[in-house]
Amino acid sequence: MNNENPTVVLVHGAFVDGSGWQPIHDILTNDGLDVAITQHSTRSLTEDVTEIHQVIEAQDGLVLLVGHSYGGVVITEAGTHPQVAGLVYVAAFAPDAGESVASMLAEPDPNAPAPPIVPRKDGSLVLDRDRFQDAFAADLPAGQARFMADSQTPWGGAALSTAVTEAAWRSKPSWYVVATEDRMIPPSAQEGMAARAGASVETVAASHSVYVARPDAVADLIRRAAKAIEL
């Protein structure tokens, strides 16, 4: 355990799993930071928060939570845990108490493209495979985007509809990576959530897959956040 820095806990969003964090994991661990990557189900916010708390409690000392997309909702709720020292949002939802993904999407930006979310027979949600790259990973190679589309994890209704009970960003420092080419969460919405949270902002010209396409920029902000809250 590095006694000078918090452990970085990387929390993935909907439709993907923790393997997408590998480029950032490699950068941060090469820099000497301790990193843990979650593999939560994205079926239920309550279950996801429980799983993230288990990861947090497996670490020695303080942690820095990093959430991408829906993972931002998870870290907002899980981040009230006493071991959490700060939050990093990566093209992510940053809801306030009483807000859910569903409520935040209730009035979509008419000028932004609608994410190609489609229901499966069991009621869970995935992205249309043929439109996945354009929406989620426009700046990634076609083969890599196709693999991500074909290996999607379904997003559960309880993950979308459950509201946050307490927003950790109201009591803990936060940072935010705004992806200016995002076609899943409009950049203007990202900027608004970051401003509301009082987050330190890094703007990156990238798609919703900014953590894969520009791991250098995302890792740089995580490093700065970890330095700011080092033990």
Side-chain angles (χ1 to χ4, degrees):
M1 173 70 185
N2 185 330
N3 290 321
E4 295 183 351
N5 293 298
T7 298
V8 177
V9 176
L10 303 173
V11 181
H12 65 81
F15 313 122
V16 295
D17 65 14
S19 64
W21 289 115
Q22 184 174 356
I24 289 175
H25 166 274
D26 292 350
I27 294 171
L28 296 178
T29 55
N30 286 339
D31 286 343
L33 289 170
D34 292 315
V35 179
I37 300 172
T38 68
Q39 291 287 10
H40 51 290
S41 68
T42 71
R43 294 281 190 170
S44 157
L45 178 60
T46 301
E47 293 175 1
D48 291 338
V49 169
T50 296
E51 293 176 34
I52 272 57
H53 279 171
Q54 291 169 349
V55 174
I56 292 170
E57 291 165 5
Q59 314 308 315
D60 294 326
L62 299 180
V63 306
L64 174 66
L65 288 182
V66 180
H68 171 251
S69 194
Y70 161 70
V73 182
V74 180
I75 70 169
T76 297
E77 181 79 351
T80 57
H81 191 287
Q83 281 180 249
V84 176
L87 313 160
V88 179
Y89 293 89
V90 180
F93 291 105
D96 203 350
E99 294 179 343
S100 65
V101 174
S103 70
M104 298 180 84
L105 295 178
E107 297 182 7
D109 183 344
N111 298 315
I117 298 173
V118 294
R120 302 199 314 177
K121 290 181 179 179
D122 65 355
S124 62
L125 303 174
V126 293
L127 291 180
D128 184 312
R129 288 183 178 182
D130 293 334
R131 299 170 62 195
F132 184 98
Q133 181 173 21
D134 182 67
F136 200 98
D139 48 3
L140 295 183
Q144 186 175 11
R146 184 66 186 186
F147 177 80
M148 292 171 69
D150 290 342
S151 61
Q152 291 183 67
T153 57
W155 198 11
L160 281 80
S161 61
T162 303
V164 166
T165 60
E166 182 180 353
W169 52 259
R170 286 199 169 275
S171 59
K172 300 184 180 182
S174 62
W175 292 258
Y176 200 111
V177 175
V178 173
T180 62
E181 307 301 320
D182 199 324
R183 297 173 186 169
M184 292 292 295
I185 303 176
S188 59
Q190 295 181 35
E191 291 168 352
M193 289 184 286
R196 181 175 67 172
S200 299
V201 175
E202 180 72 21
T203 300
V204 182
S207 73
H208 195 58
S209 292
V210 57
Y211 66 110
V212 182
R214 290 292 310 278
D216 54 332
V218 176
D220 183 61
L221 185 63
I222 294 171
R223 274 194 300 255
R224 282 187 274 147
K227 180 67 175 177
I229 59 174
E230 68 182 9
L231 303 181

